[in-house]
Amino acid sequence: MYVRLSGKVCGAVAAVVALLGVAACGSDTADDASGAGAAPAAVETRIQPYIDASITSAALDEMASTTGVADAVLAFALASGDSCTPAWGGTRPLTDPALVDAAKGLTARGGRITVATGGASGPYLENACTDADALAGAYRAALDAVGSNRLDVDIEADVPADTVVSALKQLQDERATSVSLTLPVESAGLTPNALSLVRAADGAGVTADVNAMIMNFHADGAWATAMTDATGAVLGQLRQLRPDEPAAQTAARTGVTFMLGRTDLGAVTTLDDAAAVTRDARARGLGSVGFWSVGRDNGGCPDASAAAYDCSGIAQSRFAFTEIVRDNLVDTAPPEDSAR
């Protein structure tokens, strides 16, 4: 159930929201893609920064202490070798003390920890685990390692969809796990395989949010416009797929994730682009805005010619993307009686 907050209340709590870095009051407007011009009943758009858990842990503490953002998506739990044994990046133990302690630190701040599997490359658990029971067990182990019950399944390769969906259903039936499907996008919306996976999950009774990767696709014109247009296309697809669901609920169950700075296909997401994407997501009533990744959120390689794993490729201050997304998810308007 969602409760709409007035502009006056939102302004009054903005400072608290900024400190927590996890939620924002909703916009008073919505475009056609999110409800035919009608504002959602309420919106809680959260910032969902991805952490490359295979290479860093200190960034969790630094991000939280510098920006106040305490939510994080730990990516990626992969298969260790060819086995159905999860490890961060396929190599770092799930129980690595530094990472586990940092995750607990965010939880103590009130943050939400999400565990992500899959990703752009690497040995997928979804392929290494030969049946749904084994895959559900691998998911369970990764979640338990950091005390989470939030699972993000990032599918960018061929997987046995029936096995994945069955494992997710089993997990949700056992422990009411929150599930999101992070899926690739083209300018026209979710790819055909991605849309098929959503359809399969819905058909099996899995309650899954959809996180659209508005990155690494070819587009003409301004990159910010391409990303926001793709967002609208995804919402249109999901509304057709879920016709009985209220438009505002469909939007709330949808998120977007962009790639900060230089992307793999050459487009460059600037800070202004990130702000535009975030404002658009908030106006549409989306549930989350994420980005890949906190470890890249620095200006350590300005003017780089290719995407790097540890810097954005543009000139910026440390955590500039984290802060601009956070700031654009907060209603900064003063209370209505502030001028009296």
Side-chain angles (χ1 to χ4, degrees):
M1 180 178 181
Y2 298 89
V3 180
R4 186 178 179 85
L5 299 180
S6 70
K8 181 175 180 178
V9 173
C10 284
V13 303
V16 176
V17 171
L19 285 175
L20 292 177
V22 295
C25 299
S27 167
D28 286 334
T29 61
D31 60 19
D32 291 341
S34 60
V43 178
E44 184 188 16
T45 307
R46 301 178 73 109
I47 179 171
Q48 293 269 77
Y50 278 75
I51 302 285
D52 188 344
S54 67
I55 63 169
T56 182
S57 60
L60 285 163
D61 296 326
E62 188 182 357
M63 175 191 71
S65 61
T66 302
T67 69
V69 173
D71 284 6
V73 183
L74 304 183
F76 291 100
L78 299 176
S80 179
D82 294 325
S83 73
C84 185
T85 302
W88 301 115
T91 59
R92 185 179 186 181
L94 288 180
T95 55
D96 181 90
L99 183 60
V100 170
D101 288 348
K104 289 180 178 178
L106 291 194
T107 302
R109 290 174 179 264
R112 303 190 310 187
I113 298 296
T114 302
V115 170
T117 70
S121 61
Y124 274 28
L125 288 166
E126 289 77 11
N127 287 322
C129 300
T130 56
D131 57 56
D133 288 346
L135 181 56
Y139 287 154
R140 194 181 302 111
L143 291 167
D144 290 347
V146 291
S148 175
N149 200 32
R150 302 182 58 81
L151 180 67
D152 177 43
V153 182
D154 182 329
I155 300 299
E156 302 176 49
D158 291 335
V159 297
D162 289 344
T163 300
V164 173
V165 168
S166 295
L168 294 176
K169 177 61 173 171
Q170 181 183 137
L171 206 60
Q172 282 196 327
D173 287 346
E174 288 176 359
R175 51 196 283 175
T177 303
S178 173
V179 171
S180 58
L181 298 174
T182 293
L183 301 169
V185 164
E186 299 169 337
S187 57
L190 293 169
T191 64
N193 285 346
L195 199 57
S196 293
L197 184 59
V198 177
R199 186 177 293 109
D202 285 359
V206 175
T207 301
D209 293 349
V210 173
N211 180 30
M213 290 186 285
I214 49 172
M215 63 174 84
N216 291 334
F217 63 91
H218 295 287
D220 297 324
W223 182 230
T225 302
M227 290 188 286
T228 56
D229 284 352
T231 300
V234 170
L235 277 175
Q237 289 174 312
L238 293 176
R239 289 179 64 192
Q240 288 186 346
L241 190 65
R242 300 165 172 170
D244 296 329
E245 183 175 77
Q249 185 176 347
T250 301
R253 294 179 58 201
T254 304
V256 290
T257 293
F258 64 88
M259 186 171 180
L260 59 82
R262 184 165 294 281
T263 69
D264 294 316
L265 295 185
V268 176
T269 307
T270 66
L271 291 167
D272 286 344
D273 293 339
V277 165
T278 306
R279 289 193 298 267
D280 177 74
R282 185 179 176 212
R284 294 179 191 273
L286 301 194
S288 65
V289 177
F291 55 85
W292 181 264
S293 64
V294 171
R296 303 181 71 244
D297 195 2
N298 65 83
C301 58
D303 303 317
S305 59
Y309 73 91
D310 58 352
C311 51
S312 67
I314 66 174
Q316 62 158 104
S317 60
R318 181 75 163 137
F319 299 122
F321 280 93
T322 305
E323 291 174 338
I324 204 162
V325 174
R326 177 203 66 194
D327 292 348
N328 279 277
L329 290 181
V330 174
D331 188 343
T332 57
E336 293 172 1
D337 59 354
S338 63
R340 295 178 186 174

